[in-house]
Amino acid sequence: MESTIKPLNPIALRLGGLEVHWYGIIIGIGIALGLYLVMKESERRGLNKDTFADLLIWAIPISIICARIYYVLFEWSYYSQHPGDIIKIWNGGIAIHGALIGAILTTIIFSRIKNVSFWKLADIAAPSIILGQAIGRWGNFMNQEAHGGEVSRAFLENLHLPDFIINQMYIDGTYYHPTFLYESIWNIVGFILLIMLRKVNLRRGELFLSYVIWYSIGRFFIEGMRTDSLMLTSSLRIAQVISIVLIAIALVLWIGRRVKGMAKEHYRD
């Protein structure tokens, strides 16, 4: 049976000499849906309807560039020998932590220019960010990347996965953990949780910090299953280290802002 399994074509269509990859299309869908939701919520929170459109004009390209730079830097041993591949983002190879760094820095600068609370913008955007991440992981699925260690077909079937996922996890004669799926599901649950937390009316900034903590917990454990992690040392996975650091920073900010009276406003204010 395995000999007849063919992976899904990562190329959606060809226009002359131009190849349009599913990876890019799926990332684009995640961005578009996130933008739609964040613009709707920003209007409900009393912001000008163009606020996030203006922000994302800068944040999206900067985040993608930072995500690629982050990935390339930690894979420099390869890209230093293959500089022509640095721009080939359509083949995969972007790091969400790099994207978050770019997005946060862009939002900080934007908020100061527009005289809008950074924390208000971050809170509104948080559910859209994690939903976009959930969708984006399916780009990894199409590229047969971001998977875990070896498993049997029976193991995957026992997870009650559809055949198209099981077959796509068959790579070079071996089945692998669909860690892209585990993270996508974790992020979807996180999206639902953040939507529910809106009703709790947390103090300003705490919805975004909830996102950071939730995502980082899931990423820490799922990253430990992956076989393609960016490594800091031979035994330290960069994403796991960053996840621990982000959880610590988020908790310090959460507690510190309350203790110092810096979080008086609430989400719905």
Side-chain angles (χ1 to χ4, degrees):
M1 175 182 177
E2 279 78 3
S3 60
T4 63
I5 295 176
K6 294 183 179 180
L8 298 173
N9 191 343
I11 300 173
L13 56 96
R14 291 181 171 87
L15 301 173
L18 176 64
E19 294 181 343
V20 180
H21 288 241
W22 280 111
Y23 184 87
I25 292 174
I26 292 170
I27 294 293
I29 291 172
I31 291 173
L33 181 56
L35 175 59
Y36 172 78
L37 295 176
V38 82
M39 290 182 70
K40 287 291 185 182
E41 181 64 14
S42 67
E43 288 188 64
R44 285 193 287 266
R45 298 279 69 83
L47 291 179
N48 185 293
K49 65 179 181 179
D50 295 326
T51 299
F52 270 94
D54 293 340
L55 169 58
L56 293 179
I57 286 174
W58 297 99
I60 290 174
I62 290 173
S63 295
I64 293 174
I65 291 170
C66 288
R68 184 59 171 176
I69 290 173
Y70 183 102
Y71 183 86
V72 169
L73 286 176
F74 287 108
E75 289 285 348
W76 187 243
S77 59
Y78 171 82
Y79 287 104
S80 62
Q81 303 299 316
H82 304 84
D85 288 350
I86 291 176
I87 65 171
K88 295 181 179 180
I89 194 172
W90 51 86
N91 288 334
I94 59 175
I96 187 59
H97 285 134
L100 289 174
I101 291 170
I104 289 172
L105 292 176
T106 303
T107 305
I108 289 172
I109 295 171
F110 179 86
S111 65
R112 292 181 177 178
I113 292 173
K114 296 293 186 179
N115 195 29
V116 179
S117 167
F118 162 79
W119 292 110
K120 183 172 185 176
L121 294 175
D123 279 347
I124 293 171
S128 292
I129 294 172
I130 200 167
L131 179 61
Q133 290 174 264
I135 295 171
R137 277 304 177 197
W138 288 86
N140 299 130
F141 166 73
M142 293 302 300
N143 282 352
Q144 292 187 305
E145 60 190 9
H147 59 72
E150 297 182 12
V151 295
S152 66
R153 183 179 181 92
F155 173 86
L156 297 177
E157 289 175 344
N158 287 336
L159 295 179
H160 304 289
L161 300 177
D163 284 342
F164 80 94
I165 292 180
I166 294 175
N167 291 342
Q168 190 70 351
M169 289 297 98
Y170 184 69
I171 305 168
D172 297 329
T174 304
Y175 289 99
Y176 292 94
H177 268 292
T179 46
F180 86 92
L181 178 63
Y182 304 158
E183 187 170 326
S184 182
I185 293 173
W186 178 264
N187 290 342
I188 290 172
V189 174
F191 169 75
I192 296 171
L193 175 65
L194 292 177
I195 294 299
M196 294 172 62
L197 286 177
R198 282 178 175 174
K199 299 178 181 180
V200 176
N201 199 24
L202 295 173
R203 297 188 189 187
R204 185 171 292 176
E206 292 176 354
L207 193 68
F208 177 71
L209 295 176
S210 297
Y211 151 71
V212 173
I213 294 169
W214 178 268
Y215 172 71
S216 297
I217 291 173
R219 182 62 185 271
F220 177 86
F221 287 104
I222 295 170
E223 189 70 21
M225 302 173 66
R226 286 175 55 171
T227 60
D228 61 345
S229 299
L230 297 175
M231 304 299 292
L232 188 60
T233 68
S234 59
S235 58
L236 283 178
R237 300 169 190 262
I238 294 169
Q240 288 186 309
V241 173
I242 295 297
S243 293
I244 293 173
V245 171
L246 288 176
I247 292 170
I249 291 174
L251 290 174
V252 168
L253 285 172
W254 191 313
I255 297 170
R257 293 178 73 244
R258 285 211 174 197
V259 170
K260 294 182 179 180
M262 299 171 63
K264 295 180 180 179
E265 298 90 349
H266 289 73
Y267 178 76
R268 296 184 183 179
D269 291 348

